RNA sequence: GGGGUCGUAGUUCAGCCCGGUUAGAACGCCUGCCUGUCACGCAGGAGGUCGCGAGUUCGAAUCUCGUCGGCCCCGCCA
């Protein structure tokens, strides 16, 4: 390479006119007009038009062979374009490069898909040739935004006196939470490391070590099934602070989020953010992470159906919950559309979904003929029906299940009926989560957040007597119906931690084996502390307007957790297995 | 583990229901022409194991079963 780059393609503009420059980049497009040959040269910074003309015979001859994705170094003089040739679409559109000398740094095969944002390509091909997809401006810009958000994060936390500390990747398998990725130990046969689901215990121990304020942008690993917003390895902004309470954390994180929104998408966030209790969220929206960009709240219809003759509602009316959603916008729904909603409700565990249309003062269709006139008039009043609409009803003995199903339907209908103002940013905290949750599978209570979360002092008594009533000092940050961060004030005494372990049916022996180091640490003067973790990928996804987390990760896995470019996972040599004392059983 | 959906030229898709010509289109690619285009234009051309494997049939891109892969969802996961 004899030409040395002096400028980036995308940075050139009219102020460079008259200068000689050297730029390097890829042939984004070429246009052969016989007497003149245009090349759009692309790099990370943008695109610039290069003009090859017969006035420079060697360069002009060379240009005839240029094709898409050839890599060129071009020495040229920057010239203002003729007035009628200015391209207003391009930041470099006022100038063009008149070639003095050109060097082909590399040729390229015809790419499997054009490197253009406007070309639709299926995702498996994009993933197989990720380096080509990453050349496309739209994906490149998302990766650039990810970088910017990481830098803003460091800037913010450094400015607030936090220190970044790395925690181990080879760590210890723990019983609670997600399935671990295991790493066999060569030096200690029959033993395994686990990749961290999060650095939770390490950051608590850093607080016990007196580091006071910690953060880390850190990879976490969970061996669970993937979703469009879930990858087996993902990144968290992990935060922990000492001598604070939940108000301190929430107000500081609000400032962080405010800064991020201002400096990435230029949005103003009004502080403080609203807080809703878990119970209110469930009651009003049927979700612990409700999308509050639109209304259409749930309506408790349990009182309406006390003593009902309608069989399907009887048990829920007496010992459960009957809830409704009223959508005037869905009054013209077809049978197929209501059937689809019923299928959706069932897929989330509802026994069914009842519906009726309310039109010109009368109920029609669905279950209307099973409902008494008295119930109908109570319905009109309870729901506050002021116009025609579709009423959807879910009943179940399990209150949370019924509310959750209504929440799912609320979201689906809002999307289907275009009721969501996409320009809105609805941020709030969900607080006062239940601390424990009964798991029928395991026949015990499990921690809803994680087993290190502190109960609210006033609910301490419930831990033994009525575990499901105890609330945790936990908080989630919700943006447009997505959980973007979650955290808690931690338990900081050994006694309380042991008590919670025992409520989780962890025997003292198990507790010592799995978390002995933490229990020990707690007994050496652990300060009160708490923290939070942001889902970094999810945050970038939302700020960049992406529909999948894969679009903000340079090298993501497919839904079946494979890497299509490098072909992971893959088999390993017998010798490697032997060294690790591993034998495959089939 | 379960459900849905997709898989046809390099790419995006049509054809599939109702089996039967040489499997089409657009873009891309190649060749030629074109001195101001910028998703240039014009003319011509090449390009297919219809994901893979069985089955039904005289005959399968088309019907059936299985399998592999992409995407979405439930379970799982915070």
């Amino acid at each position: 390479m004899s030409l040395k780059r002096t400028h980036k393609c995308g940075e050139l503009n009219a102020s460079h006119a008259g200068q000689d420059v050297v730029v390097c980049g890829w042939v984004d497009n070429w246009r052969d007009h016989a007497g003149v040959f245009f090349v759009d040269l692309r790099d990370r910074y943008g695109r610039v038009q290069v003009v090859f003309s017969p006035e420079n015979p060697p360069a002009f001859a060379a240009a005839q062979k240029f094709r898409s994705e050839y890599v060129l170094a071009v020495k040229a003089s920057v010239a203002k374009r003729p007035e009628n040739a200015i391209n207003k679409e391009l930041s470099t559109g006022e100038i063009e490069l008149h070639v003095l000398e050109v060097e082909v740094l590399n040729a390229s095969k015809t790419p499997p898909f054009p490197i253009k944002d406007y070309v639709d390509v299926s995702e498996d091909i994009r993933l197989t040739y990720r380096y080509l997809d990453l050349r496309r401006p739209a994906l490149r810009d998302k990766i650039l935004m990810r970088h910017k958000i990481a830098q803003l994060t460091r800037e913010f936390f450094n400015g607030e006196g936090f220190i970044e500390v790395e925690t181990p990747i080879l760590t210890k398998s723990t019983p609670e939470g997600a399935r671990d990725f295991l790493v066999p130990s060569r030096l200690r046969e029959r033993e395994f490391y686990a990749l961290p689901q999060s650095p939770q215990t390490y950051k608590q121990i850093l607080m016990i070590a007196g580091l006071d304020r910690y953060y880390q942008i850190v990879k976490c690993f969970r061996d669970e099934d993937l979703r469009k917003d879930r990858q087996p390895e993902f990144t968290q902004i992990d935060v922990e602070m000492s001598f604070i309470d939940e108000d301190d954390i929430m107000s500081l994180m609000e400032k962080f989020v405010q800064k991020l929104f201002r400096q990435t998408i230029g949005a103003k966030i009004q502080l403080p953010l609203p807080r809703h209790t878990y119970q209110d969220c469930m009651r009003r929206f049927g979700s612990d992470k409700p999308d509050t960009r639109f209304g259409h709240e749930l309506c408790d219809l349990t009182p309406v159906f006390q003593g009902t003759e309608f069989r399907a509602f009887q048990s829920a009316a007496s010992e459960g919950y009957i809830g409704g959603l009223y959508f005037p916008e869905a009054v013209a729904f077809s049978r197929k559309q209501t059937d689809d909603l019923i299928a959706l409700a069932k897929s989330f565990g509802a026994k069914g979904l009842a519906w009726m249309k309310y039109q010109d003062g009368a109920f029609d269709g669905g279950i209307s003929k099973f409902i008494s006139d008295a119930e109908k008039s109570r319905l009109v009043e309870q729901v506050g029906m002021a116009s025609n609409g579709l009423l959807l009803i879910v009943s179940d003995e399990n209150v949370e299940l019924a509310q959750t199903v209504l929440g799912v339907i609320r979201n689906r209908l809002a999307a289907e009926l275009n009721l969501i103002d996409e320009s809105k940013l609805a941020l709030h905290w969900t607080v006062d989560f239940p601390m424990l949750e009964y798991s029928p599978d395991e026949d015990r209570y499990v921690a809803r957040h994680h087993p290190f979360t502190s109960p609210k002092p006033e609910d301490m008594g419930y831990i033994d007597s009525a575990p499901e009533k105890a609330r945790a000092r936990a908080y989630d940050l919700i943006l447009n119906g997505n959980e973007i961060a979650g955290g808690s004030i931690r338990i900081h005494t050994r006694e309380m931690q042991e008590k919670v372990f025992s409520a989780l049916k962890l025997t003292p022996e198990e507790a010592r084996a799995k978390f002995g180091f933490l229990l020990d640490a707690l007994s050496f003067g652990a300060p009160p502390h708490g923290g939070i973790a942001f889902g970094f990928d999810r945050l970038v996804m939302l700020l960049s307007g992406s529909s999948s987390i894969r679009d903000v990760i340079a090298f993501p896995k497919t839904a079946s957790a494979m890497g299509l470019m490098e072909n992971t996972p893959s088999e390993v040599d017998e010798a490697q297995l032997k060294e690790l004392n591993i034998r495959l059983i089939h």
Side-chain angles (χ1 to χ4, degrees), chain A residues 317-476:
Chain A
S318 60
E319 49 190 306
Y321 169 88
I322 303 172
L325 276 174
Y326 193 62
F327 275 77
E329 300 86 348
V331 69
F333 260 33
S334 66
R335 181 59 186 267
K336 179 177 175 0
Q337 283 173 299
T338 50
D339 281 351
D340 285 350
L341 290 177
I342 291 169
L344 179 70
K346 285 183 173 166
S347 80
F348 277 82
K351 291 183 190 73
L353 172 71
W355 63 271
M356 284 188 281
K357 283 184 180 172
Y358 181 67
Q359 266 167 315
D360 307 323
F363 285 95
D364 188 31
I367 60 164
S368 58
K369 58 174 174 279
F370 306 110
I371 305 298
S372 74
D373 288 344
E375 285 165 346
K376 283 174 182 165
S377 65
R378 286 205 296 273
L379 270 180
V380 172
E381 193 185 333
Q382 183 81 358
V383 179
M385 297 179 181
S387 59
N388 296 349
L390 176 68
L391 177 66
L392 297 150
I393 303 175
V394 174
S395 69
D396 207 285
E397 292 88 81
N398 182 337
V399 180
E400 279 207 356
L401 175 74
Q403 289 173 334
T404 301
V405 170
L406 285 165
V408 167
I409 289 176
R410 175 178 173 268
N411 284 339
R412 166 68 66 92
L413 282 177
E416 213 169 299
L417 297 165
N418 269 319
L419 302 180
I420 300 174
D421 178 354
E422 296 289 344
S423 69
K424 266 193 188 171
L425 290 169
L427 278 156
H428 78 268
W429 293 98
T430 301
V431 298
D432 292 357
F433 280 86
M435 182 165 150
L436 303 165
E437 182 173 44
Y438 181 72
S439 161
D441 280 359
E442 301 176 61
D443 186 29
R444 66 176 182 105
Y445 282 89
V446 296
R448 201 180 170 97
H449 184 59
H450 57 54
F452 318 110
T453 301
S454 176
K456 297 190 87 151
E458 63 266 39
D459 291 356
M460 216 83 94
Y462 288 133
I463 293 178
D464 297 318
S465 58
E468 70 285 347
K469 280 194 184 159
R471 288 168 302 167
R473 297 177 69 181
Y475 32 81
D476 280 0

Side-chain angles (χ1 to χ4, degrees), chain A residues 28 42 68-69 111-117 119 131-137:
Chain A
D28 189 65
R42 178 191 67 238
S68 295
E69 301 311 308
F113 56 88
I115 314 303
K116 311 280 185 200
D117 283 333
V119 175
Y131 39 90
L132 298 180
D133 200 19
L134 285 164
R135 279 184 201 165
R136 303 207 288 177

Side-chain angles (χ1 to χ4, degrees), chain A residues 29-39 49-54 60 63-64:
Chain A
N29 207 359
W30 53 277
R31 294 173 295 279
D32 181 0
H33 286 259
V36 62
F37 195 103
F38 298 102
V39 164
Q49 174 164 279
V50 184
V51 187
F52 295 81
S53 79
F60 186 70
Q64 307 304 312

